[in-house]
Amino acid sequence: MAGKLIVIMGTNASGKSGLGVELALKYGGEVVSADSRQVFRGLDLGSGKITPDETKGVPHHLIDVCQPGDFFSMADFQRLAYEATDGILARGKLPFLVGGTGLYVDSVIDGYELSSIEPDLALRAHLETFETPALYEMLKEKLPDTDIDPKNRNRVMRALERLAADDYHPGKHNPRYEALKLGVTWPRETLKARIDERLERRLNQGMVDEVRRLLDAGVSTEFLMKLGLEYRYLTRYLLGEITYDQMVLELGNAIKKFAKRQMTWFRREENLHWLDMASDPVTQAAELIDAFLAG
């Protein structure tokens, strides 16, 4: 019988990390983070990484597992998430997969069959010289019926790399867990206000200094820019490309647009139970979890 997994997915600033902690405490569980930036050490404020105090003693996995600048793929995430989840189940605990990176979440709950082949760095360097539309045209030539988003540069490049390595097997899924999916969100205007408040708080806590330390430690500007959002705009500010006020304004708008894209992704999920965060999400979630575990 497949092990049972509770999934909590939501946008930036939605409160999913805190909810994950409260539910893990209630059920004696452990959290597996599904965030593409929180895997890197030193990317704390900018990635919204939960603090040791905020975990309230609940074990968290897949946080701080590699160095900034290291290559870390969705396949790496899936492998480590499987290891962490299997370990939690083996200890008789309930695993909670909590995150906002939709592809990472889906790779685990849908059981994507992913490649473990190392990237061809020479090919990657060659592909990097092309604009995204040109890369997508290359992909369409090789794979006319592709359903990859034309604007998703990383996925387009990865598909081209895997085609070159004769290792492209789209659409193959092998789920290994029975998952209950809980969605976390707020009304649009409330979420915008939460994003603004969180951005101001993290800037006051030293987010600019965090990025300055990463640059001083030799982390490349290319790596930070590719991380997007906080790291891209703070890097541009520290390089003198934009003013502080420009950075705050443009970053706030970019986070809101990203949250909108996250919601579009999550709304495609089947059997996703949305929680009313303005009410009592712990009680709502507990009713669903109890029924799921009993079934």
Side-chain angles (χ1 to χ4, degrees):
M1 181 185 292
K4 294 195 172 184
L5 170 68
I6 311 299
V7 183
I8 302 173
M9 55 184 86
T11 64
N12 282 2
S14 62
K16 59 187 177 293
S17 298
L19 179 62
V21 167
E22 293 305 318
L23 291 171
L25 282 170
K26 183 176 178 66
Y27 288 92
E30 301 183 20
V31 170
V32 178
S33 168
D35 188 291
S36 60
R37 302 187 301 175
Q38 292 182 7
V39 297
F40 296 105
R41 298 183 190 98
L43 274 62
D44 302 328
L45 289 168
S47 71
K49 194 178 292 176
I50 194 167
T51 66
D53 285 344
E54 288 168 343
T55 67
K56 298 183 180 179
V58 171
H60 278 62
H61 305 269
L62 268 75
I63 290 176
D64 296 341
V65 296
C66 59
Q67 294 292 350
D70 286 353
F71 176 76
F72 190 89
S73 68
M74 182 165 61
D76 293 323
F77 169 80
Q78 185 195 55
R79 174 177 52 80
L80 293 175
Y82 281 165
E83 288 176 8
T85 304
D86 289 347
I88 295 166
L89 290 167
R91 289 189 290 278
K93 304 285 188 180
L94 184 61
F96 289 81
L97 181 68
V98 180
T101 303
L103 264 177
Y104 278 22
V105 172
D106 285 354
S107 75
V108 174
I109 60 179
D110 292 338
Y112 289 179
E113 293 198 4
L114 300 173
S115 169
S116 58
I117 289 178
E118 288 292 309
D120 180 337
L121 297 181
L123 174 60
R124 176 162 294 182
H126 174 66
L127 294 175
E128 285 283 12
T129 64
F130 294 90
E131 295 293 324
T132 304
L135 291 172
Y136 185 71
E137 286 306 312
M138 291 182 206
L139 181 60
K140 289 284 284 184
E141 284 179 20
K142 297 175 183 290
L143 212 65
D145 60 346
T146 182
D147 62 354
I148 291 175
D149 179 355
K151 296 178 182 176
N152 192 325
R153 182 178 179 85
N154 286 339
R155 286 197 70 199
V156 172
M157 285 182 61
R158 190 69 178 132
L160 286 168
E161 290 172 357
R162 291 180 63 183
L163 284 164
D166 195 24
D167 182 49
Y168 190 72
H169 312 290
K172 293 180 73 175
H173 296 170
N174 184 25
R176 61 197 289 174
Y177 309 112
E178 186 183 349
L180 171 67
K181 298 186 282 189
L182 306 176
V184 172
T185 189
W186 297 82
R188 184 174 298 174
E189 291 308 312
T190 305
L191 183 62
K192 286 181 179 179
R194 287 176 64 88
I195 287 170
D196 287 336
E197 185 275 329
R198 190 176 80 151
L199 176 56
E200 182 179 6
R201 184 174 71 251
R202 290 190 296 166
L203 285 167
N204 290 336
Q205 288 171 332
M207 192 160 59
V208 174
D209 289 336
E210 174 175 296
V211 178
R212 186 180 285 116
R213 282 195 301 273
L214 290 165
L215 288 166
D216 290 346
V219 177
S220 73
T221 56
E222 180 187 24
F223 172 77
L224 291 169
M225 296 285 270
K226 277 187 175 181
L227 291 171
L229 295 180
E230 292 86 355
Y231 294 100
R232 175 179 298 161
Y233 285 93
L234 286 163
T235 298
R236 290 183 62 206
Y237 163 63
L238 289 170
L239 292 175
E241 294 179 4
I242 51 176
T243 67
Y244 184 85
D245 288 343
Q246 273 182 291
M247 180 269 290
V248 174
L249 179 63
E250 292 181 20
L251 175 54
N253 289 335
I255 295 171
K256 288 164 193 165
K257 287 179 183 175
F258 179 68
K260 189 175 179 182
R261 291 198 301 275
Q262 286 178 302
M263 279 303 298
T264 300
W265 179 280
F266 293 135
R267 284 200 180 103
R268 297 188 317 206
E269 294 281 350
E270 295 181 359
N271 303 315
L272 176 58
H273 303 271
W274 289 103
L275 304 176
D276 179 3
M277 294 297 286
S279 179
D280 183 357
V282 173
T283 298
Q284 297 166 53
E287 289 177 359
L288 292 162
I289 293 170
D290 288 344
F292 174 67
L293 297 178

